Amino acid sequence: PHLATLTSAFPASHSSQLPPTSTLPSPPMWLQVSEHARWLAEDYPQHRALRKLQLEALLALGRYADADLLCDQQLQVTPEAPELLEATARLTFIRSGVDAALAALSEVDLEDEAHVESAELYGRLQAMRHSEEEAKAAMLAADAAHAIDCSCRALALAEESVAARQAFALLLARAL
């Protein structure tokens, strides 16, 4: 009954359609979700929606080491699991920024419908890279207003990654 309650909104066939963490519950609720998901994972270790929910909870709580450990353990059993590949790339983005995350996604078949979240992450990363390049070009052209706009756009997209935010904040500072 607990598994059905916890995952009813996220059936296994639709696990890639989870809303982003910013639209989901507050940290106290995420803590509860994480604990229930961990407990249920003991009985259902390969349930994709449950695993995805557990990863989302860990990411929302900033428990990146726990998310890394879960990904590493599960990737040994299911190396092609889309939710694990996306989570690994997302963790790489959070810690190391755009280029490292793009490298992590280089082996993922982004055309495969199973990897829709990885494709969305890739698109967001490419948008950040494009905004960064556009800002640099605007600075070379002495168009400070456009450089600031592009830097702010990249900064907004990089909300989740300290490494990326630092790089884009420096770019913004140079544009100012």
Side-chain angles (χ1 to χ4, degrees):
H2 294 285
L3 179 63
T5 302
L6 189 59
T7 62
S8 63
F10 308 107
S13 63
H14 294 90
S15 64
S16 66
Q17 296 175 8
L18 285 172
T21 55
S22 61
T23 63
L24 289 173
S26 63
M29 181 62 89
W30 275 122
L31 186 57
Q32 190 176 21
V33 168
S34 175
E35 290 304 313
H36 285 279
R38 183 192 54 75
W39 173 69
L40 287 167
E42 292 172 12
D43 291 330
Y44 304 97
Q46 299 306 314
H47 193 284
R48 288 184 58 207
L50 179 58
R51 187 168 55 201
K52 177 66 178 163
L53 190 58
Q54 188 177 13
L55 283 167
E56 285 295 328
L58 292 172
L59 290 170
L61 291 167
R63 292 174 46 188
Y64 305 133
D66 292 337
D68 275 329
L69 182 60
L70 177 61
C71 284
D72 289 345
Q73 290 170 341
Q74 292 295 315
L75 281 168
Q76 290 176 13
V77 178
T78 53
E80 298 300 318
E83 70 278 4
L84 298 174
L85 296 173
E86 187 273 338
T88 300
R90 192 165 150 202
L91 284 161
T92 302
F93 169 63
I94 288 168
R95 289 196 174 109
S96 304
V98 175
D99 292 334
L102 286 169
L105 288 169
S106 67
E107 299 298 317
V108 177
D109 180 6
L110 299 173
E111 299 297 319
D112 184 340
E113 287 183 23
H115 296 285
V116 67
E117 286 191 358
S118 290
E120 289 170 3
L121 176 59
Y122 180 83
R124 197 170 102 214
L125 295 168
Q126 288 291 35
M128 283 181 247
R129 178 178 272 170
H130 176 74
S131 292
E132 178 184 27
E133 291 169 359
E134 198 174 339
K136 288 177 180 178
M139 285 191 295
L140 287 174
D143 185 353
H146 189 61
I148 291 168
D149 180 56
C150 293
S151 298
C152 287
R153 191 173 347 135
L155 198 52
L157 289 169
E159 174 186 352
E160 197 172 33
S161 171
V162 172
R165 280 195 327 260
Q166 287 176 340
F168 299 140
L170 288 173
L171 184 62
L172 177 59
R174 286 194 312 246
L176 294 172

